[in-house]
């Protein structure tokens, strides 16, 4: 891919060299006093040291796994990077020698390393263990663990170090609850307990980034705001997915408001990284789906929120002294496209897949995951300038990797409202229901995992699509409202059919636990294996297992694979079950879905343990 350069040059001679691995930058950290940036190069398993003066990677440091986040000690000597998956760890790197001096084991899928340099505590989110650890970065001791809601993926520490805000990537619970939305967990760092939590507005999903304002008053959170309760008959004006920023008032411990990053006729899909300028006056949000950076004037945005008609106190509220923020009034701003008009600039970036970013002075450094590039955004001039820099030699973007890029690319969608990844983040699920029109209207279906979709035809829970290839092409037509080039669809097929199952966090050292082993026997005796057969746990046939309801009554459903069920709650075609236990008890009253009524509570727990271990 040839990058368009406005100033400066593209560097290919220097930089990281990785053989066949793509650079796929995942995190950027600015070190102001050294005029350097550290860049976590995911697939390449390296940390690149980026010299700001010469705009190039001058040194690379090898790490043992794919680095996912970075933190630096106060003095700048020690660099901490989370890496690995089931074998998650924090590598402590001596920045003077580039050597890894300590390897601290942590949980599954560690991300969002956040250092409290004053108290010398490192916080790490273990995405697939659903918890957050506090670690002593010197001796590696675990000082405390806080269980959170679901896939903690982003964190922000208040400047006083008293609160760690943790963003949960996906909503938890069954569909049908009053609000289905991801939560922000507030951990009191003195006790390492979740002391409070903030539920984002109904439909919030795909939370990716967060940062605290330098004065500690606000925490900014990027996420998708899905309009999942209406049929997908249209796409324009944010009918399906909108793209949002929530502002949490730290003192009040609630959402001050949620603003949309979209314009009326142009979505700003897949908001990802969030960062503030040092003075807190400018906020930056990367849009991974549209390859843009939002540059937001914070005072202007806060003034607009304050002056919004929905925020004017009613006589009654004024009399009772209630704040006009929060509660029902949140919806009013969150429904307004172009709310940021006049206080936000959309800057086109140079590469594909901007996710991580860092701010140094007037410049913003945005790393682009699919092209292995950095766009340097200079906000000082009146017209913001951009410059593309290659972070090293990047293998050509082809095959499954190109498919992954396209799956995440909202420029393929009419008016850029969403990418396939808006509902299928990481090729998985958004934990919501959607009323797609392929099987009628008024019968929403829970989003399906892309894992094994190509290996287990037919597609869709009702089997209305003969195979996943068909579903991919009709997804473009009917969900993105766009035509897709056959070569692009083929690349997406290659990406999706190559997805590998992530090992279940319920396994113990890679093996079934004792409970899961007992559950395995029950899986056969209760008749589950008749339909959930073979390695993929499906016979690919359709049955009525007594779950069909409403418009779908009398329909048969395509037996789903049970692989990776641990990460795809809620369950059943309409997401009515929050847990596997509910599938097997509350929603199987007549033993039409395996024979479970004669099982004891312990046996149900064993069966559940087995299913969740797949
Ligand atoms: C608005 C949300 C949304 C978007 C955007 C979306 N999907 Fe889906 N997708 C769903 C839902 C919901 C289902 C399950 C529907 C059902 O079971 O009837 C699904 C199912 C599928 C399936 C079938 C999986 C199986 O095992 O049966 C495939 C394949 C698929 N989507 C691919 C894509 C592709 C490719 C794109 C982008 C072109 C895309 N989806 C965009 C919501 C979405
Ligand atoms: C007659 C075939 C059949 C048998 C027997 C059967 N299943 Fe299923 N299973 C299905 C079908 C069809 C669905 C989809 C139902 C729906 O979505 O409402 C399903 C759905 C599920 C789900 C939800 C999956 C998801 O992604 O939402 C779980 C969990 C499950 N089955 C576990 C079991 C267990 C455990 C047993 C044994 C007690 C069992 N099944 C027996 C056919 C069967």
């Amino acid at each position: 891919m040839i990058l368009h350069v406005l100033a400066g040059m593209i560097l290919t001679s220097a930089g990281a060299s990785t053989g066949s691995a793509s650079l796929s930058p995942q995190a950027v950290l600015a070190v102001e006093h050294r005029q350097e940036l550290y860049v976590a190069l995911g697939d390449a398993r390296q940390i690149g040291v980026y010299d700001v003066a010469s705009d190039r990677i001058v040194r690379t440091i090898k790490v043992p796994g794919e680095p996912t986040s970075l933190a630096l000690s106060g003095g700048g000597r020690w660099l901490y990077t989370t890496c690995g998956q089931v074998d998650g760890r924090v590598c402590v790197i001596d920045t003077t020698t580039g050597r890894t001096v300590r390897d601290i084991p942590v949980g599954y899928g560690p991300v969002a390393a956040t250092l409290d340099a004053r108290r010398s505590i490192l916080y790490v989110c273990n995405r697939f263990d659903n918890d957050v650890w506090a670690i002593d970065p010197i001796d590696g001791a675990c000082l405390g663990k806080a269980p959170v809601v679901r896939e903690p993926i982003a964190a922000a520490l208040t400047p006083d170090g008293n609160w760690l805000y943790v963003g949960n990537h996906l909503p938890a619970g069954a569909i049908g609850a009053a609000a289905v939305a991801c939560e922000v967990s507030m951990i009191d760092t003195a006790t390492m307990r979740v002391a409070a939590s903030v539920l984002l507005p109904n439909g919030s999903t795909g939370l990716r980034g967060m940062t605290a304002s330098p004065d500690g008053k606000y925490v900014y959170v990027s996420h998708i705001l899905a309009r999942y309760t209406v049929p997908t008959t249209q796409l324009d004006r944010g009918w399906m997915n909108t793209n949002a920023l929530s502002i949490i008032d730290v003192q009040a411990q609630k959402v001050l408001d949620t603003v949309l990053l979209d314009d009326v006729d142009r979505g700003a899909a897949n908001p990802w990284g969030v960062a503030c300028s040092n003075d807190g006056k400018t906020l930056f949000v990367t849009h991974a789906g549209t390859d843009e950076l939002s540059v937001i004037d914070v005072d202007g945005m806060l003034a607009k929120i304050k002056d919004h008609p929905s925020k004017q106190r009613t006589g009654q509220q004024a009399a009772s002294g209630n704040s006009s923020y929060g509660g029902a009034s949140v919806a009013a701003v969150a429904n307004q496209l172009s709310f940021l008009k006049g206080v936000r600039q959309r800057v086109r970036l140079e590469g594909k897949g901007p996710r991580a970013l860092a701010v140094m002075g007037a410049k913003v450094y945005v790393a682009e995951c699919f092209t292995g590039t950095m766009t340097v955004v200079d906000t000082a001039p009146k017209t913001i300038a951009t410059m593309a820099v290659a972070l090293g030699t990047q293998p050509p973007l082809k095959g499954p990797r190109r498919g992954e890029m396209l799956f995440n690319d909202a420029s393929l969608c009419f008016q850029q409202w969403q990418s396939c990844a808006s509902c299928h983040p990481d090729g998985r699920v958004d934990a919501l229901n959607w009323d797609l029109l392929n099987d009628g209207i008024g019968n929403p279906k829970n989003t399906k995992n892309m894992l094994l979709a190509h290996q287990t035809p037919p597609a869709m829970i009702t089997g209305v699509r003969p195979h996943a290839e068909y579903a991919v092409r009709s997804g473009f037509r009917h969900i993105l409202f766009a035509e897709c080039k056959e070569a692009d669809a083929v690349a997406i097929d290659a990406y999706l059919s190559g997805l590998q199952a992530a090992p279940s966090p319920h396994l113990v050292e890679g093996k079934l636990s004792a409970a899961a082993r007992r559950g395995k026997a029950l899986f056969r005796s209760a008749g589950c294996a008749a339909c959930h057969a073979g390695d993929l746990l499906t016979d690919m046939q359709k049955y009525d297992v007594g779950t069909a309801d409403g418009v779908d009554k009398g329909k048969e459903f395509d037996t789903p694979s049970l692989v990776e069920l641990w990460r795809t709650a809620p369950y059943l075609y309409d997401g009515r079950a929050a847990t596997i236990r509910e599938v097997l008890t509350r929603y199987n009253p007549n033993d039409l879905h395996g024979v479970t009524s004669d099982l004891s509570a312990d046996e149900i727990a064993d069966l559940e343990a087995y299913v969740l271990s797949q």
Side-chain angles (χ1 to χ4, degrees):
M1 166 171 214
I2 297 165
L3 295 174
H4 170 63
V5 189
L6 292 183
M9 54 183 172
I10 297 182
L11 295 144
T12 46
S13 53
S17 177
T18 62
S20 61
S22 50
L23 300 165
S24 60
Q26 302 295 323
V28 191
L29 180 79
V31 192
E32 193 118 27
H33 69 274
R34 284 197 204 143
Q35 292 291 295
E36 273 177 357
L37 306 168
Y38 291 107
V39 188
L41 301 169
D43 293 349
R45 302 183 169 211
Q46 292 175 6
I47 310 290
V49 183
Y50 182 102
D51 173 45
V52 163
S54 60
D55 276 312
R56 62 195 190 113
I57 298 276
V58 289
R59 210 150 45 90
T60 57
I61 300 167
K62 283 202 169 64
V63 283
E66 294 177 11
T68 54
S69 69
L70 300 163
L72 194 72
S73 67
R77 170 115 192 236
W78 310 108
L79 179 67
Y80 306 97
T81 175
T82 48
C83 50
Q85 286 299 316
V86 233
D87 57 343
R89 61 190 94 179
V90 171
C91 293
V92 186
I93 298 159
D94 183 343
T95 57
T96 59
T97 62
R99 288 227 176 86
T100 299
V101 294
R102 183 168 290 112
D103 208 7
I104 305 169
V106 290
Y108 185 175
V111 281
T114 307
L115 187 77
D116 182 341
R118 212 157 30 91
R119 295 183 199 169
S120 189
I121 301 176
L122 182 70
Y123 301 99
V124 173
C125 296
N126 297 306
R127 179 173 178 185
F128 297 121
D129 283 336
N130 299 325
D131 66 5
V132 179
W133 288 12
I135 301 167
D136 182 331
I138 296 171
D139 63 10
C142 181
L143 307 170
K145 298 181 185 180
V148 290
V149 185
R150 184 173 185 185
E151 296 194 24
I153 198 168
L157 190 67
T158 54
D160 59 15
N162 292 342
W163 292 95
L164 183 72
Y165 279 64
V166 173
N168 294 281
H169 179 53
L170 294 177
I175 308 291
V180 183
C182 34
E183 274 180 44
V184 174
S185 306
M186 280 177 264
I187 297 176
D188 176 349
T189 55
T191 57
M192 272 310 276
R193 291 238 172 83
V194 176
S197 72
V198 173
L199 189 67
L200 298 178
N202 190 16
S204 296
T205 185
L207 185 157
R208 287 290 179 184
M210 64 200 295
T211 195
S213 62
D215 62 9
K217 274 183 154 169
Y218 302 109
V219 168
Y220 305 108
V221 190
S222 67
H223 58 92
I224 286 169
L225 186 55
R227 314 289 164 161
Y228 73 101
T229 53
V230 293
T232 57
T233 48
Q234 63 186 82
L235 176 63
D236 43 344
R237 294 185 163 260
W239 190 265
M240 276 191 233
N241 274 312
T242 52
N243 301 288
L245 177 81
S246 283
I247 303 145
I248 297 177
D249 179 333
V250 168
Q251 211 189 351
Q253 301 196 329
K254 63 182 188 188
V255 178
L256 171 68
D257 223 316
T258 295
V259 300
L260 297 185
L261 299 161
D262 308 300
D263 288 304
V264 172
D265 56 0
R266 195 158 65 104
N270 306 99
W272 202 290
V274 189
C276 251
S277 61
N278 285 343
D279 62 7
K281 288 192 183 303
T282 317
L283 188 66
F284 305 100
V285 182
T286 62
H287 296 276
T290 58
D291 307 316
E292 290 175 292
L293 180 73
S294 276
V295 180
I296 303 169
D297 163 17
V298 171
D299 290 341
M301 175 177 69
L302 294 175
K304 274 198 150 193
I305 292 173
K306 196 157 163 264
D307 296 342
H308 193 265
S310 69
K311 302 297 186 205
Q312 303 309 314
R313 289 173 164 218
T314 63
Q316 204 185 357
Q317 276 174 326
S320 67
N322 276 349
S323 159
S324 57
Y325 289 150
S329 64
V330 167
V333 172
N335 282 331
Q336 203 170 318
L337 296 164
S338 300
F339 179 79
L340 293 176
K341 203 168 177 356
V343 297
R344 185 272 304 268
Q345 288 187 66
R346 292 174 72 158
V347 178
R348 167 115 231 119
L349 298 169
E350 306 281 339
K352 297 294 287 181
R355 293 183 177 179
L357 78 170
V359 183
M360 196 187 287
K363 286 187 177 166
V364 188
Y365 295 84
V366 185
E368 286 119 357
C369 155
F370 294 111
T371 39
T373 47
M374 179 91 90
T375 299
V376 185
V377 181
D378 189 349
T379 63
K382 227 182 160 105
T383 313
I384 292 177
T386 60
M387 174 181 78
V389 175
L391 293 171
T393 14
Q394 169 86 351
L397 201 54
K398 58 178 192 202
R401 181 84 182 145
R402 199 174 84 85
E404 183 180 2
M405 190 263 286
L406 297 166
F407 193 81
N408 283 274
D409 190 353
S411 66
L412 301 178
C413 173
F414 175 68
Q415 293 183 346
Q416 310 190 120
W417 289 103
Q418 60 190 0
S419 63
C420 305
S422 295
C423 297
H424 301 289
D426 304 308
R428 267 67 184 195
V429 301
D430 58 3
L432 297 175
N433 280 1
W434 289 97
D435 196 359
L436 305 179
L437 304 178
N438 53 36
D439 59 348
I441 197 164
N443 50 353
K445 298 290 180 305
N446 197 232
T447 302
K448 294 198 79 179
N449 195 346
M450 297 293 94
L451 179 79
L452 299 176
H454 282 72
Q455 289 85 336
T456 61
M460 307 299 178
I461 190 72
T462 46
V464 288
R465 302 301 190 205
H467 40 67
E469 286 83 351
Y470 194 107
V472 166
R473 286 147 186 83
S474 52
F476 272 93
R477 215 162 302 131
H478 301 295
I479 307 180
L480 302 191
F481 289 71
E483 279 308 319
C484 155
K485 291 194 199 90
E486 182 54 21
D488 290 355
V490 167
I492 290 178
D493 289 333
Y495 161 58
L496 297 179
S497 54
L499 286 174
Q500 296 292 316
S504 166
H506 298 266
L507 294 172
V508 181
E509 285 168 6
K511 298 207 175 71
L512 292 180
S513 66
R517 281 201 305 276
R518 290 191 299 272
K520 187 176 181 180
L522 292 165
F523 193 77
R524 276 188 229 112
S525 59
C528 317
C531 304
H532 298 288
D535 286 348
L536 305 183
L537 302 169
T538 169
D539 62 359
M540 302 181 226
Q541 301 299 312
K542 285 167 56 168
Y543 302 96
D544 178 356
V545 290
T547 51
D549 211 352
V551 180
D552 288 314
K553 202 151 189 105
K555 275 190 195 158
E556 293 185 328
F557 294 127
D558 172 44
T559 305
S561 163
L562 303 182
V563 179
E564 260 195 7
L565 227 52
W566 57 271
R567 72 186 288 188
T568 60
Y571 304 111
L572 296 177
Y573 74 97
D574 58 358
R576 77 179 76 157
T579 60
I580 304 292
R581 165 175 289 270
E582 283 187 359
V583 172
L584 303 176
T585 54
R586 185 170 170 197
Y587 297 116
N588 188 26
N590 302 317
D591 281 346
L592 293 170
H593 189 187
V595 181
T596 53
S597 59
D598 59 347
L599 299 181
S600 69
D602 284 349
E603 286 172 323
I604 293 283
D606 291 346
L607 194 49
E608 181 172 39
Y610 176 67
V611 169
L612 289 174
S613 300
Q614 302 307 308

